[in-house]
Amino acid sequence: METFLGIDYPTLWYLVVGLLFSGYAILEGFDYGAGAWHLFLRKDLSRRISINAIGPLWDANQVWLIIGAGALFAGFPVMYATMLSAMYIPFMLFLMLLVLRSAAIKFRSAEEMKWWRKTWDIIYFLSNSLISFLLGVVLGNILQGVEIGENLSYQGGIFFSFLNPYAIMVGFTTISIFMTQGAIFLLLKTEGRLFERLTFLLKKGMIFFIISFAVTSFYTLMFLPGVTDKFKEYPIFFILPVLAFLAVANVPRLVSKKKYAYALLFSSLTMAFLLMLVAFQLYPVLLPSTIDPKYSVTIYNAASSQKSLGIMLTIVLIGAPLLAGYFLFLYKTFHGKVKLDDTSY
């Protein structure tokens, strides 16, 4: 098997896919989180400012989802096919909610009628909240495994089997961290009474996250089999949960000091460390089988050819700096407080 810097190609592509989905979770996390607060903002002007805070960024942030899904398909086509076969209904629901969310952003302020704006407000709130929740549900099911049998055929239920207690807990943890991230981001983009309202909401969001995180972590450690085995084998990686815990603890401290930019950084690091924990725990498995571990989808039985991975890794080396440069330019251009004008949503 070919390697680069001593790491085989499937592992390198595993890292690339993980990096892309981490970027998606962090950047779209505050978009979805801002949307999940939408109905908690009482005035029409506040809701417009909230939508315009993410206005120049939300569609660009979705690029990470497109690239991540493309990278998963190109590098691990067996994983892509197996996961979509198993979770076809949740993914179709996810796509439908993405369309509704985009429509709500575009159409909500296009008319002045109260019923019109109220309807799109509800759609916008529900789509953001449900997308966040479903992302967590998918992650929870991946962590505990799905019913994959011989020849990688899915043998489980269609939809409701995914709504098991653990997946629901991960779903609530995901929406809570997105809401915390969203409130912090909105604080950086607003001022005046809306800023004060968001300060109050952020405290509620952090309590929601800390409770959800504690309950899910406790359940994971107590009831998910083999969750600590990798750490016993590689003790150096105990640094990951320690860093995740420190990042979580640092967010309320920075918020209390009104250092919101740093709080946003550390809530992003919290997500990054938690996703690293998931990746470390699963490696080299991509989708565990609850029927028999030998039926699990791994980076080795799901990978494209070595030649394909080598070409794609070369493309990543060229494209990654361009993507990073584009996002730096985008966020630098649209930093600062939101000012509404005739072109605003």
Side-chain angles (χ1 to χ4, degrees), residues 73-268:
F73 174 72
F76 304 117
V78 174
M79 168 62 179
Y80 191 86
T82 306
M83 193 167 72
L84 273 187
S85 300
M87 303 182 184
Y88 187 77
I89 300 294
F91 275 111
M92 287 301 106
L93 185 58
F94 174 74
L95 290 177
M96 186 185 75
L97 289 168
L98 279 179
V99 172
L100 285 174
R101 173 177 178 262
S102 305
I105 293 172
K106 295 289 184 183
F107 296 149
R108 190 256 176 203
S109 302
E111 297 289 347
E112 296 286 344
M113 295 92 78
K114 270 190 174 179
W115 67 267
W116 174 271
R117 292 194 172 188
K118 194 171 182 180
T119 302
W120 285 114
D121 282 341
I122 294 170
I123 292 172
Y124 182 62
F125 165 76
L126 287 177
S127 57
N128 280 287
S129 302
L130 288 174
I131 288 170
S132 308
F133 180 73
L134 280 175
L135 285 171
V137 167
V138 169
L139 182 62
N141 279 287
I142 290 174
L143 273 169
Q144 65 180 356
V146 296
E147 295 178 65
I148 301 172
E150 202 171 357
N151 298 321
L152 302 175
S153 61
Y154 175 64
Q155 299 178 6
I158 296 175
F159 178 69
F160 289 104
S161 61
F162 295 114
L163 297 176
N164 53 73
Y166 182 67
I168 289 172
M169 276 190 275
V170 179
F172 277 116
T173 304
T174 304
I175 193 172
S176 67
I177 194 171
F178 282 1
M179 289 179 82
T180 301
Q181 181 95 332
I184 297 171
F185 176 75
L186 288 177
L187 280 168
L188 292 169
K189 306 294 288 184
T190 57
E191 52 196 347
R193 296 186 67 178
L194 177 56
F195 181 90
E196 292 171 11
R197 173 73 178 158
L198 286 163
T199 305
F200 169 77
L201 292 175
L202 175 57
K203 290 176 183 172
K204 304 292 182 188
M206 287 191 297
I207 293 171
F208 178 31
F209 168 62
I210 290 170
I211 293 173
S212 305
F213 178 70
V215 171
T216 305
S217 299
F218 177 77
Y219 187 97
T220 303
L221 289 170
M222 294 301 294
F223 299 107
L224 225 59
V227 74
T228 58
D229 291 353
K230 284 277 183 70
F231 294 105
K232 292 173 184 172
E233 191 176 351
Y234 304 101
I236 185 68
F237 285 97
F238 265 115
I239 191 70
L240 287 177
V242 172
L243 289 173
F245 175 78
L246 291 175
V248 169
N250 210 21
V251 174
R253 188 185 73 82
L254 291 165
V255 167
S256 69
K257 293 178 178 293
K258 299 184 178 179
K259 295 180 177 178
Y260 298 115
Y262 288 111
L264 186 68
L265 172 65
F266 275 89
S267 65
S268 302

